[in-house]
Structures are given as C-alpha cells and as structure tokens.
Amino acid sequence: MISNRAAWPDERTVFSVDRIQLPVIGGPHPYAIAERDSIARNWQQEVAANPALFDGPMMLPRWIRIEDGVISGDMHMVPFSAFLLWRKTRPLDAALHIFALPVILSSDGAVIAIRMAAHTANPGRVYCAAGSLDPSDVEDGFCNLDSNMAREVREETGLDLADATDVAGLQAMHDNGVVTVFRVYRFSVTARDLINCIDRHLAADAQPEIDEAVAIHSPDPHLYPYSSFMPPVLAWVFQTVL
C-alpha cells in the first residue's frame, strides 16, 4: 500500500474524520534502516545542542491514506532520533507523520495551550498539550489516538479529559507530510481555573515538560510562537466552535 497524497484535501484545510485505522506493523521502518547512519550522526548533533533529549520509541507511518472519511496507515516503531531526522529533511515518499491534538476549551471561550520547556524537542513552542504516539498508545495492535490524547494531557498538565462536559468529533488537517488529528474537549470551568490546576501540577513535577499554560482568546496566528499546525486549528475552532 502507498500514500494517496495527491488526493488529500488541500494543505492546512480542516476536514472531518469518521474513523482512524493505524495498525502497528512488526519489523523496522524501511526509512530507519536506509538512513541509519544519517540518523546516528544527526542524533549526535541534536544531543550536543540539547543533552536532555531522550531517544525513546515512537510510531511513524510508512504510508497514510485519506479517503472517504477514513485515515489509515501502517505504523512502525522507530527511535525518536529517526523522527528528528525525518522532521528536518521531510522525505515524504519514505515516511509521513501523524499525531493527535486535544483542543481544550474553557467555559469562558478560551483554548488552553502550553509553552514547551527549553529541554524539550520543541523549546518555546506553544500548542495544545500533545505528543507523538508511542507503544503505550497501542491497543490490540492498533494506535489509539484518544488514549494518546488523554495520556499526554494528563502527563503535561494534570488535567483529565474525562472531566470534559462535551467531546466533539474528530477533525484533521495536514501540512508538509504531517497529519494533525484533533478533537475539541469543552470543560465547564473557566480558563483561570484550568490554568490554576495546571500550575499546581507543574509545581509538583520535578522536571515538567512545559514552562507554562496559556489561555488563547483569539485566532491571531502571531499571538504566540505557535507550532505550524496551530494557526489553522485555531482559525477553525474560533470560526466553527466558539
């Protein structure tokens, strides 16, 4: 099976998703094999610049298809170092990337996001709490994006997505080979209350992944140093949901 990128919706355009089907395939990713030496050299450079980086396992698709409301693809477990090289060079015929983004909304109409800490792979970037799919997100041989979203939010913010009073359907967008699948979670408390909860979580964490939580009240793409996927997601949320 190969990707059908030519048939995907336009880049940075949000579209609805009915189903996600991402089976985990045994054996190494062909990209990780072909680029083994380049991955190792790049990792040495990355760690020299940021010694706190951890080369843990994550899931990287060999291909992704988007058709008839379904996103599917074969997932392989790769070291984080392989993803970092892929992210830097973007060989889209060799691999693609997909991740889940939980968009938390407060009762007073704010999107709750986080600013990543300096020791992470995305220092200073602002986006909704999220992270790559890893082996803990695999259930019955398939990647579970909802479990991933709940885990990442809990680990980074201390919030529980089960406390949301309304959970929307899946939406997605893609940009330069990265597919962002997101879901809106509406909470019954204010942005200040949610940020206070996150602040308490950060105070109790010996090495938090984030520096702070922020409440976003505008789709202005220049408000913060956003990761590239955030502006189109925010534009859709403020136009469609808020």
Short mmCIF file of all heavy atoms in Angstrom, two decimals, residues 175-236:
data_model
loop_
_atom_site.label_atom_id
_atom_site.label_comp_id
_atom_site.label_asym_id
_atom_site.label_seq_id
_atom_site.Cartn_x
_atom_site.Cartn_y
_atom_site.Cartn_z
N ASP A 175 -0.06 19.23 6.78
CA ASP A 175 0.87 20.27 6.34
C ASP A 175 2.26 19.65 6.21
O ASP A 175 2.80 19.13 7.20
CB ASP A 175 0.88 21.42 7.35
CG ASP A 175 1.78 22.57 6.92
OD1 ASP A 175 2.01 22.75 5.72
OD2 ASP A 175 2.27 23.29 7.81
N ASN A 176 2.79 19.65 5.01
CA ASN A 176 4.16 19.18 4.76
C ASN A 176 4.40 17.77 5.30
O ASN A 176 5.41 17.50 5.96
CB ASN A 176 5.18 20.16 5.36
CG ASN A 176 6.57 20.00 4.78
OD1 ASN A 176 6.74 19.36 3.74
ND2 ASN A 176 7.56 20.57 5.44
N GLY A 177 3.46 16.88 5.04
CA GLY A 177 3.63 15.49 5.40
C GLY A 177 3.23 15.11 6.80
O GLY A 177 3.33 13.94 7.19
N VAL A 178 2.75 16.08 7.58
CA VAL A 178 2.31 15.81 8.95
C VAL A 178 0.78 15.93 9.02
O VAL A 178 0.23 16.98 8.68
CB VAL A 178 2.95 16.79 9.96
CG1 VAL A 178 2.41 16.52 11.37
CG2 VAL A 178 4.46 16.66 9.94
N VAL A 179 0.13 14.87 9.46
CA VAL A 179 -1.31 14.87 9.62
C VAL A 179 -1.64 15.11 11.09
O VAL A 179 -1.19 14.36 11.96
CB VAL A 179 -1.94 13.54 9.16
CG1 VAL A 179 -3.45 13.55 9.39
CG2 VAL A 179 -1.61 13.28 7.69
N THR A 180 -2.38 16.17 11.36
CA THR A 180 -2.82 16.51 12.72
C THR A 180 -4.28 16.12 12.85
O THR A 180 -5.14 16.64 12.14
CB THR A 180 -2.67 18.01 12.99
OG1 THR A 180 -1.32 18.41 12.76
CG2 THR A 180 -3.07 18.35 14.42
N VAL A 181 -4.56 15.19 13.76
CA VAL A 181 -5.94 14.78 14.05
C VAL A 181 -6.32 15.41 15.38
O VAL A 181 -5.62 15.21 16.38
CB VAL A 181 -6.08 13.25 14.12
CG1 VAL A 181 -7.51 12.85 14.45
CG2 VAL A 181 -5.62 12.62 12.80
N PHE A 182 -7.40 16.17 15.40
CA PHE A 182 -7.75 16.84 16.66
C PHE A 182 -9.21 16.65 17.03
O PHE A 182 -10.06 16.34 16.19
CB PHE A 182 -7.36 18.33 16.61
CG PHE A 182 -8.16 19.19 15.66
CD1 PHE A 182 -9.26 19.91 16.11
CD2 PHE A 182 -7.79 19.31 14.33
CE1 PHE A 182 -9.98 20.73 15.24
CE2 PHE A 182 -8.49 20.13 13.46
CZ PHE A 182 -9.59 20.83 13.91
N ARG A 183 -9.44 16.81 18.32
CA ARG A 183 -10.79 16.69 18.88
C ARG A 183 -10.95 17.79 19.94
O ARG A 183 -10.02 18.05 20.70
CB ARG A 183 -10.97 15.31 19.52
CG ARG A 183 -12.41 14.98 19.88
CD ARG A 183 -12.51 13.76 20.76
NE ARG A 183 -12.17 12.49 20.15
CZ ARG A 183 -12.96 11.77 19.38
NH1 ARG A 183 -14.16 12.23 19.06
NH2 ARG A 183 -12.57 10.60 18.90
N VAL A 184 -12.11 18.44 19.96
CA VAL A 184 -12.38 19.51 20.90
C VAL A 184 -13.02 18.95 22.16
O VAL A 184 -14.00 18.20 22.09
CB VAL A 184 -13.28 20.59 20.27
CG1 VAL A 184 -13.68 21.64 21.31
CG2 VAL A 184 -12.58 21.26 19.09
N TYR A 185 -12.45 19.32 23.32
CA TYR A 185 -12.96 18.92 24.62
C TYR A 185 -13.39 20.19 25.36
O TYR A 185 -12.55 21.04 25.67
CB TYR A 185 -11.89 18.20 25.44
CG TYR A 185 -11.46 16.87 24.87
CD1 TYR A 185 -10.51 16.79 23.85
CD2 TYR A 185 -12.00 15.69 25.35
CE1 TYR A 185 -10.12 15.58 23.32
CE2 TYR A 185 -11.60 14.45 24.84
CZ TYR A 185 -10.67 14.41 23.83
OH TYR A 185 -10.28 13.19 23.32
N ARG A 186 -14.67 20.31 25.64
CA ARG A 186 -15.17 21.50 26.32
C ARG A 186 -15.32 21.22 27.82
O ARG A 186 -15.94 20.23 28.23
CB ARG A 186 -16.53 21.92 25.74
CG ARG A 186 -16.99 23.30 26.20
CD ARG A 186 -18.38 23.61 25.65
NE ARG A 186 -18.38 23.74 24.21
CZ ARG A 186 -18.15 24.88 23.57
NH1 ARG A 186 -17.90 25.98 24.26
NH2 ARG A 186 -18.19 24.91 22.24
N PHE A 187 -14.74 22.10 28.64
CA PHE A 187 -14.79 21.98 30.10
C PHE A 187 -15.77 23.01 30.66
O PHE A 187 -16.01 24.06 30.06
CB PHE A 187 -13.42 22.16 30.72
CG PHE A 187 -12.53 20.95 30.62
CD1 PHE A 187 -12.08 20.48 29.38
CD2 PHE A 187 -12.16 20.25 31.75
CE1 PHE A 187 -11.27 19.37 29.29
CE2 PHE A 187 -11.36 19.12 31.68
CZ PHE A 187 -10.91 18.67 30.44
N SER A 188 -16.30 22.73 31.84
CA SER A 188 -17.32 23.60 32.45
C SER A 188 -16.72 24.63 33.38
O SER A 188 -17.46 25.33 34.08
CB SER A 188 -18.34 22.75 33.21
OG SER A 188 -17.71 22.04 34.27
N VAL A 189 -15.39 24.75 33.41
CA VAL A 189 -14.74 25.72 34.28
C VAL A 189 -13.99 26.75 33.44
O VAL A 189 -13.73 26.53 32.25
CB VAL A 189 -13.77 25.03 35.27
CG1 VAL A 189 -14.54 24.13 36.22
CG2 VAL A 189 -12.71 24.24 34.53
N THR A 190 -13.63 27.84 34.07
CA THR A 190 -13.01 28.95 33.34
C THR A 190 -11.56 28.66 32.99
O THR A 190 -10.93 27.75 33.54
CB THR A 190 -13.07 30.24 34.17
OG1 THR A 190 -12.22 30.08 35.32
CG2 THR A 190 -14.49 30.57 34.59
N ALA A 191 -11.03 29.50 32.09
CA ALA A 191 -9.62 29.38 31.73
C ALA A 191 -8.73 29.56 32.95
O ALA A 191 -7.74 28.85 33.13
CB ALA A 191 -9.28 30.41 30.66
N ARG A 192 -9.07 30.51 33.81
CA ARG A 192 -8.27 30.76 35.01
C ARG A 192 -8.24 29.51 35.91
O ARG A 192 -7.19 29.14 36.45
CB ARG A 192 -8.84 31.94 35.78
CG ARG A 192 -8.04 32.38 37.00
CD ARG A 192 -6.71 32.97 36.59
NE ARG A 192 -5.61 31.99 36.64
CZ ARG A 192 -4.44 32.18 36.07
NH1 ARG A 192 -4.19 33.29 35.41
NH2 ARG A 192 -3.49 31.27 36.15
N ASP A 193 -9.39 28.85 36.06
CA ASP A 193 -9.45 27.63 36.88
C ASP A 193 -8.58 26.53 36.27
O ASP A 193 -7.86 25.82 37.00
CB ASP A 193 -10.89 27.14 37.00
CG ASP A 193 -11.74 28.05 37.87
OD1 ASP A 193 -11.18 28.74 38.74
OD2 ASP A 193 -12.98 28.07 37.66
N LEU A 194 -8.65 26.36 34.96
CA LEU A 194 -7.86 25.32 34.30
C LEU A 194 -6.36 25.61 34.42
O LEU A 194 -5.57 24.70 34.71
CB LEU A 194 -8.26 25.21 32.83
CG LEU A 194 -9.65 24.62 32.56
CD1 LEU A 194 -10.04 24.83 31.10
CD2 LEU A 194 -9.69 23.14 32.92
N ILE A 195 -5.99 26.86 34.23
CA ILE A 195 -4.57 27.21 34.34
C ILE A 195 -4.08 27.06 35.77
O ILE A 195 -2.95 26.62 36.01
CB ILE A 195 -4.34 28.63 33.80
CG1 ILE A 195 -4.50 28.62 32.28
CG2 ILE A 195 -2.94 29.15 34.19
CD1 ILE A 195 -4.37 29.97 31.63
N ASN A 196 -4.91 27.38 36.76
CA ASN A 196 -4.53 27.17 38.15
C ASN A 196 -4.26 25.69 38.42
O ASN A 196 -3.31 25.33 39.14
CB ASN A 196 -5.62 27.68 39.09
CG ASN A 196 -5.64 29.19 39.19
OD1 ASN A 196 -4.66 29.87 38.84
ND2 ASN A 196 -6.74 29.75 39.65
N CYS A 197 -5.10 24.81 37.86
CA CYS A 197 -4.89 23.37 38.02
C CYS A 197 -3.56 22.95 37.39
O CYS A 197 -2.80 22.15 37.97
CB CYS A 197 -6.03 22.59 37.39
SG CYS A 197 -7.60 22.68 38.26
N ILE A 198 -3.27 23.49 36.21
CA ILE A 198 -2.02 23.15 35.54
C ILE A 198 -0.83 23.68 36.32
O ILE A 198 0.20 23.00 36.47
CB ILE A 198 -2.03 23.69 34.10
CG1 ILE A 198 -3.14 23.02 33.30
CG2 ILE A 198 -0.67 23.46 33.43
CD1 ILE A 198 -3.38 23.62 31.93
N ASP A 199 -0.95 24.88 36.87
CA ASP A 199 0.13 25.46 37.67
C ASP A 199 0.44 24.58 38.88
O ASP A 199 1.62 24.37 39.23
CB ASP A 199 -0.24 26.86 38.14
CG ASP A 199 -0.17 27.89 37.02
OD1 ASP A 199 0.42 27.60 35.96
OD2 ASP A 199 -0.73 29.00 37.20
N ARG A 200 -0.58 24.05 39.52
CA ARG A 200 -0.35 23.16 40.66
C ARG A 200 0.35 21.88 40.22
O ARG A 200 1.24 21.37 40.92
CB ARG A 200 -1.68 22.83 41.35
CG ARG A 200 -2.29 24.02 42.10
CD ARG A 200 -3.41 23.57 43.02
NE ARG A 200 -4.57 23.08 42.28
CZ ARG A 200 -5.58 23.86 41.86
NH1 ARG A 200 -5.55 25.17 42.11
NH2 ARG A 200 -6.59 23.35 41.21
N HIS A 201 -0.01 21.37 39.06
CA HIS A 201 0.64 20.18 38.53
C HIS A 201 2.11 20.46 38.25
O HIS A 201 2.99 19.64 38.58
CB HIS A 201 -0.08 19.73 37.25
CG HIS A 201 0.58 18.60 36.54
ND1 HIS A 201 0.51 17.29 36.99
CD2 HIS A 201 1.35 18.56 35.41
CE1 HIS A 201 1.20 16.50 36.18
NE2 HIS A 201 1.71 17.25 35.21
N LEU A 202 2.40 21.61 37.66
CA LEU A 202 3.79 21.96 37.35
C LEU A 202 4.62 22.12 38.62
O LEU A 202 5.79 21.71 38.67
CB LEU A 202 3.84 23.25 36.53
CG LEU A 202 3.21 23.21 35.14
CD1 LEU A 202 3.35 24.56 34.46
CD2 LEU A 202 3.85 22.12 34.30
N ALA A 203 4.01 22.69 39.66
CA ALA A 203 4.74 22.90 40.91
C ALA A 203 5.13 21.59 41.57
O ALA A 203 6.13 21.52 42.29
CB ALA A 203 3.89 23.74 41.86
N ALA A 204 4.35 20.53 41.31
CA ALA A 204 4.62 19.23 41.93
C ALA A 204 5.50 18.34 41.07
O ALA A 204 5.90 17.25 41.50
CB ALA A 204 3.30 18.53 42.21
N ASP A 205 5.81 18.78 39.84
CA ASP A 205 6.59 17.98 38.91
C ASP A 205 8.06 18.39 38.99
O ASP A 205 8.39 19.56 38.81
CB ASP A 205 6.06 18.19 37.49
CG ASP A 205 6.60 17.18 36.50
OD1 ASP A 205 7.67 16.60 36.76
OD2 ASP A 205 5.96 16.96 35.45
N ALA A 206 8.94 17.43 39.25
CA ALA A 206 10.36 17.74 39.42
C ALA A 206 11.00 18.23 38.12
O ALA A 206 11.92 19.04 38.14
CB ALA A 206 11.11 16.51 39.93
N GLN A 207 10.52 17.73 36.98
CA GLN A 207 11.07 18.16 35.68
C GLN A 207 9.93 18.24 34.68
O GLN A 207 9.77 17.38 33.80
CB GLN A 207 12.15 17.22 35.19
CG GLN A 207 12.93 17.76 33.98
CD GLN A 207 14.06 16.88 33.56
OE1 GLN A 207 14.02 15.66 33.71
NE2 GLN A 207 15.11 17.46 32.99
N PRO A 208 9.12 19.28 34.75
CA PRO A 208 7.98 19.39 33.83
C PRO A 208 8.42 19.58 32.39
O PRO A 208 9.47 20.18 32.12
CB PRO A 208 7.24 20.61 34.36
CG PRO A 208 8.28 21.42 35.05
CD PRO A 208 9.23 20.42 35.65
N GLU A 209 7.60 19.09 31.47
CA GLU A 209 7.88 19.25 30.04
C GLU A 209 7.49 20.63 29.54
O GLU A 209 7.90 21.03 28.45
CB GLU A 209 7.14 18.20 29.23
CG GLU A 209 7.60 16.78 29.45
CD GLU A 209 6.87 15.81 28.53
OE1 GLU A 209 7.01 15.94 27.30
OE2 GLU A 209 6.14 14.95 29.04
N ILE A 210 6.70 21.34 30.32
CA ILE A 210 6.21 22.64 29.87
C ILE A 210 6.62 23.73 30.86
O ILE A 210 6.85 23.47 32.04
CB ILE A 210 4.68 22.63 29.68
CG1 ILE A 210 3.95 22.52 31.02
CG2 ILE A 210 4.26 21.48 28.77
CD1 ILE A 210 2.44 22.62 30.92
N ASP A 211 6.70 24.96 30.34
CA ASP A 211 7.03 26.11 31.18
C ASP A 211 5.80 26.75 31.78
O ASP A 211 5.84 27.21 32.93
CB ASP A 211 7.80 27.16 30.36
CG ASP A 211 9.27 26.81 30.18
OD1 ASP A 211 9.78 26.02 30.99
OD2 ASP A 211 9.88 27.32 29.23
N GLU A 212 4.72 26.80 31.01
CA GLU A 212 3.51 27.45 31.49
C GLU A 212 2.33 27.06 30.62
O GLU A 212 2.50 26.53 29.51
CB GLU A 212 3.67 28.97 31.45
CG GLU A 212 3.86 29.54 30.05
CD GLU A 212 3.84 31.04 30.02
OE1 GLU A 212 3.41 31.67 31.00
OE2 GLU A 212 4.26 31.61 28.98
N ALA A 213 1.13 27.34 31.13
CA ALA A 213 -0.09 27.20 30.35
C ALA A 213 -0.58 28.58 29.96
O ALA A 213 -0.38 29.55 30.70
CB ALA A 213 -1.16 26.47 31.16
N VAL A 214 -1.20 28.67 28.79
CA VAL A 214 -1.71 29.96 28.32
C VAL A 214 -3.15 29.79 27.86
O VAL A 214 -3.55 28.72 27.39
CB VAL A 214 -0.85 30.54 27.18
CG1 VAL A 214 0.57 30.80 27.64
CG2 VAL A 214 -0.86 29.62 25.96
N ALA A 215 -3.93 30.86 28.01
CA ALA A 215 -5.32 30.88 27.54
C ALA A 215 -5.36 31.71 26.27
O ALA A 215 -4.99 32.88 26.27
CB ALA A 215 -6.23 31.48 28.61
N ILE A 216 -5.82 31.11 25.19
CA ILE A 216 -5.86 31.77 23.89
C ILE A 216 -7.29 32.23 23.61
O ILE A 216 -8.21 31.41 23.54
CB ILE A 216 -5.37 30.82 22.79
CG1 ILE A 216 -3.94 30.35 23.10
CG2 ILE A 216 -5.42 31.50 21.42
CD1 ILE A 216 -3.46 29.23 22.19
N HIS A 217 -7.47 33.52 23.45
CA HIS A 217 -8.80 34.09 23.24
C HIS A 217 -8.98 34.61 21.81
O HIS A 217 -10.00 35.25 21.52
CB HIS A 217 -9.05 35.23 24.22
CG HIS A 217 -9.12 34.79 25.65
ND1 HIS A 217 -10.28 34.32 26.24
CD2 HIS A 217 -8.17 34.74 26.62
CE1 HIS A 217 -10.05 34.02 27.49
NE2 HIS A 217 -8.78 34.26 27.77
N SER A 218 -8.01 34.37 20.95
CA SER A 218 -8.05 34.93 19.60
C SER A 218 -7.39 33.96 18.62
O SER A 218 -6.42 33.28 18.98
CB SER A 218 -7.33 36.28 19.57
OG SER A 218 -7.02 36.67 18.25
N PRO A 219 -7.86 33.92 17.37
CA PRO A 219 -7.19 33.08 16.36
C PRO A 219 -5.98 33.75 15.72
O PRO A 219 -5.41 33.21 14.78
CB PRO A 219 -8.30 32.86 15.32
CG PRO A 219 -9.12 34.11 15.39
CD PRO A 219 -9.12 34.51 16.85
N ASP A 220 -5.58 34.90 16.23
CA ASP A 220 -4.42 35.62 15.69
C ASP A 220 -3.21 34.68 15.62
O ASP A 220 -2.72 34.23 16.66
CB ASP A 220 -4.10 36.82 16.59
CG ASP A 220 -2.89 37.61 16.12
OD1 ASP A 220 -2.27 37.23 15.11
OD2 ASP A 220 -2.56 38.62 16.78
N PRO A 221 -2.71 34.39 14.42
CA PRO A 221 -1.61 33.42 14.30
C PRO A 221 -0.28 33.94 14.82
O PRO A 221 0.68 33.16 14.94
CB PRO A 221 -1.54 33.17 12.78
CG PRO A 221 -2.07 34.42 12.17
CD PRO A 221 -3.14 34.90 13.11
N HIS A 222 -0.20 35.23 15.14
CA HIS A 222 1.06 35.81 15.61
C HIS A 222 1.07 36.07 17.12
O HIS A 222 2.02 36.67 17.63
CB HIS A 222 1.32 37.13 14.87
CG HIS A 222 1.26 37.00 13.38
ND1 HIS A 222 2.16 36.25 12.67
CD2 HIS A 222 0.39 37.51 12.46
CE1 HIS A 222 1.87 36.30 11.38
NE2 HIS A 222 0.80 37.07 11.23
N LEU A 223 0.04 35.61 17.80
CA LEU A 223 -0.08 35.88 19.23
C LEU A 223 1.02 35.22 20.03
O LEU A 223 1.54 35.79 21.00
CB LEU A 223 -1.45 35.41 19.72
CG LEU A 223 -1.90 35.84 21.11
CD1 LEU A 223 -1.99 37.37 21.19
CD2 LEU A 223 -3.26 35.21 21.43
N TYR A 224 1.39 34.00 19.65
CA TYR A 224 2.44 33.24 20.33
C TYR A 224 3.33 32.58 19.27
O TYR A 224 2.95 32.50 18.09
CB TYR A 224 1.84 32.15 21.22
CG TYR A 224 1.07 32.66 22.42
CD1 TYR A 224 -0.32 32.66 22.44
CD2 TYR A 224 1.75 33.13 23.55
CE1 TYR A 224 -1.02 33.12 23.55
CE2 TYR A 224 1.05 33.60 24.66
CZ TYR A 224 -0.33 33.59 24.65
OH TYR A 224 -1.02 34.04 25.74
N PRO A 225 4.50 32.07 19.68
CA PRO A 225 5.33 31.30 18.75
C PRO A 225 4.77 29.89 18.57
O PRO A 225 5.26 28.91 19.13
CB PRO A 225 6.70 31.28 19.43
CG PRO A 225 6.40 31.40 20.89
CD PRO A 225 5.19 32.28 20.99
N TYR A 226 3.70 29.83 17.78
CA TYR A 226 2.99 28.57 17.60
C TYR A 226 3.77 27.58 16.76
O TYR A 226 4.52 27.96 15.85
CB TYR A 226 1.65 28.82 16.90
CG TYR A 226 0.62 29.56 17.71
CD1 TYR A 226 0.07 30.75 17.22
CD2 TYR A 226 0.18 29.07 18.92
CE1 TYR A 226 -0.90 31.43 17.94
CE2 TYR A 226 -0.79 29.75 19.66
CZ TYR A 226 -1.32 30.93 19.16
OH TYR A 226 -2.27 31.60 19.88
N SER A 227 3.55 26.29 17.00
CA SER A 227 3.93 25.28 16.03
C SER A 227 3.04 25.45 14.81
O SER A 227 1.92 25.97 14.91
CB SER A 227 3.77 23.87 16.63
OG SER A 227 4.75 23.65 17.62
N SER A 228 3.50 24.99 13.65
CA SER A 228 2.84 25.32 12.39
C SER A 228 1.41 24.82 12.29
O SER A 228 0.60 25.40 11.56
CB SER A 228 3.65 24.75 11.22
OG SER A 228 3.75 23.34 11.30
N PHE A 229 1.06 23.76 13.00
CA PHE A 229 -0.29 23.22 12.91
C PHE A 229 -1.31 24.03 13.70
O PHE A 229 -2.52 23.90 13.47
CB PHE A 229 -0.33 21.76 13.38
CG PHE A 229 0.26 21.55 14.76
CD1 PHE A 229 -0.50 21.75 15.90
CD2 PHE A 229 1.57 21.14 14.91
CE1 PHE A 229 0.04 21.56 17.16
CE2 PHE A 229 2.12 20.94 16.16
CZ PHE A 229 1.35 21.15 17.30
N MET A 230 -0.86 24.87 14.62
CA MET A 230 -1.81 25.56 15.49
C MET A 230 -2.66 26.63 14.80
O MET A 230 -3.88 26.69 15.03
CB MET A 230 -1.09 26.15 16.69
CG MET A 230 -0.81 25.15 17.80
SD MET A 230 -2.30 24.49 18.58
CE MET A 230 -2.87 25.92 19.53
N PRO A 231 -2.10 27.52 13.97
CA PRO A 231 -2.95 28.57 13.38
C PRO A 231 -4.17 28.06 12.62
O PRO A 231 -5.28 28.58 12.84
CB PRO A 231 -1.97 29.34 12.48
CG PRO A 231 -0.66 29.20 13.20
CD PRO A 231 -0.67 27.79 13.71
N PRO A 232 -4.05 27.04 11.73
CA PRO A 232 -5.28 26.58 11.07
C PRO A 232 -6.26 25.91 12.01
O PRO A 232 -7.48 26.02 11.83
CB PRO A 232 -4.77 25.60 10.00
CG PRO A 232 -3.39 25.27 10.38
CD PRO A 232 -2.84 26.42 11.14
N VAL A 233 -5.76 25.22 13.04
CA VAL A 233 -6.66 24.62 14.02
C VAL A 233 -7.39 25.72 14.79
O VAL A 233 -8.62 25.66 14.98
CB VAL A 233 -5.88 23.69 14.97
CG1 VAL A 233 -6.77 23.26 16.14
CG2 VAL A 233 -5.37 22.47 14.22
N LEU A 234 -6.66 26.73 15.24
CA LEU A 234 -7.30 27.83 15.98
C LEU A 234 -8.30 28.57 15.11
O LEU A 234 -9.39 28.93 15.58
CB LEU A 234 -6.23 28.80 16.49
CG LEU A 234 -5.34 28.30 17.62
CD1 LEU A 234 -4.23 29.31 17.90
CD2 LEU A 234 -6.16 28.04 18.88
N ALA A 235 -7.96 28.82 13.85
CA ALA A 235 -8.89 29.52 12.96
C ALA A 235 -10.19 28.74 12.84
O ALA A 235 -11.29 29.32 12.89
CB ALA A 235 -8.25 29.71 11.59
N TRP A 236 -10.09 27.40 12.71
CA TRP A 236 -11.29 26.57 12.59
C TRP A 236 -12.09 26.59 13.90
O TRP A 236 -13.32 26.72 13.88
CB TRP A 236 -10.90 25.14 12.24
CG TRP A 236 -12.07 24.24 12.03
CD1 TRP A 236 -12.75 24.01 10.86
CD2 TRP A 236 -12.73 23.43 13.03
NE1 TRP A 236 -13.78 23.13 11.06
CE2 TRP A 236 -13.80 22.76 12.38
CE3 TRP A 236 -12.52 23.22 14.37
CZ2 TRP A 236 -14.64 21.89 13.06
CZ3 TRP A 236 -13.37 22.36 15.06
CH2 TRP A 236 -14.42 21.71 14.41
#
